[in-house]
Amino acid sequence: MTDRDAALDPAALNPATMRQQYRAEGLTETDLAATPVEQFARWFKQAATEGHLFEPNAMVVSTADAEGRPSSRTVLLKHFDDQGFVFYTNYDSRKAHELARNPYVSLLFPWHPMARQVIVTGVARRTGRDETAAYFRTRPHGSQLGAWASGQSSVIADRAALDATYAELAARYPEGEQVPVPPHWGGFRVAPRTVEFWQGRENRLHDRLRYVAEADGSWRVERLSP
């Protein structure tokens, strides 16, 4: 059987038989930084430099509507500090409508090549317009136009309609001309309440250390069974 035949063999594509053995070295309580943001900064730097991950700032954002029905999508982290984790979106999108009714959110950073995950749970609040405008000015010109062209999550007739809208905007705001910040576009800051650092280990006995926010502003660390 050739490599190509093996790749096409249904048995080779059986998810039940797909498995990898993770690393021997793990994560201990003494390895952790004092705060989850400091620990995240360490792992994020390693993901971006040592791990050579494609878009290490990509994260899965999970929200739920008023009835508790969940939805998930991948977005890009654009800032993080002691106040939380920031991403930007269309405020008319599904995620934004769900967050308006239910601000509780989960963020997942799936750093699979490093056998690592970071899971954040917290509360999302809109960023201020000055902060939003400052970030918007750093976006490439085409991305600024795209924020106007897309009625995110809305149904459209076809791709041609989207391209036509973008072309009209490109004619109105050519390269070099300032694009106004859309009033329906902006950021969310997720203030963390828990942050779990998951390190894959051999035999599926993974290390899971979770920071939990205390009422006095400090953090408690607890180990979870894998």
Side-chain angles (χ1 to χ4, degrees), residues 76-153:
L76 297 178
L77 175 73
K78 288 301 178 181
H79 179 73
F80 68 91
D81 57 24
D82 289 335
Q83 304 305 310
F85 299 82
V86 178
F87 66 92
Y88 291 86
T89 188
N90 188 312
Y91 285 147
D92 291 328
S93 66
R94 177 177 178 176
K95 73 177 86 59
H97 281 300
E98 291 184 348
L99 289 173
R101 294 169 175 80
N102 177 4
Y104 294 99
V105 63
S106 174
L107 312 176
L108 167 64
F109 295 85
W111 295 332
H112 301 310
M114 303 180 74
R116 286 178 174 177
Q117 300 180 74
V118 179
I119 304 104
V120 179
T121 65
V123 176
R125 296 283 185 262
R126 290 189 181 190
T127 58
R129 292 310 292 173
D130 288 346
E131 183 177 356
T132 290
Y135 169 70
F136 187 80
R137 297 288 171 233
T138 69
R139 302 186 93 204
H141 182 74
S143 296
Q144 293 182 10
L145 296 178
W148 279 101
S150 172
Q152 195 174 97
S153 300

Side-chain angles (χ1 to χ4, degrees), residues 131-181:
E131 183 177 356
T132 290
Y135 169 70
F136 187 80
R137 297 288 171 233
T138 69
R139 302 186 93 204
H141 182 74
S143 296
Q144 293 182 10
L145 296 178
W148 279 101
S150 172
Q152 195 174 97
S153 300
S154 63
V155 176
I156 58 176
D158 50 34
R159 175 72 195 202
L162 179 64
D163 291 339
T165 301
Y166 182 90
E168 292 173 4
L169 288 161
R172 187 184 313 168
Y173 302 107
E175 188 76 44
E177 185 167 333
Q178 181 167 296
V179 180
V181 182

Side-chain angles (χ1 to χ4, degrees), residues 13 67 122 191 217:
L13 299 178
E67 287 71 45

Side-chain angles (χ1 to χ4, degrees), residues 44 54-60 74-77 108-111:
F44 184 74
F54 177 73
E55 293 191 323
N57 59 328
M59 60 184 184
V60 179
T74 302
V75 305
L76 297 178
L77 175 73
L108 167 64
F109 295 85
W111 295 332

Side-chain angles (χ1 to χ4, degrees), residues 21-36:
Q21 186 68 283
Y22 296 145
R23 59 202 290 173
E25 66 273 16
L27 181 66
T28 68
E29 287 80 352
T30 57
D31 294 330
L32 293 178
T35 70

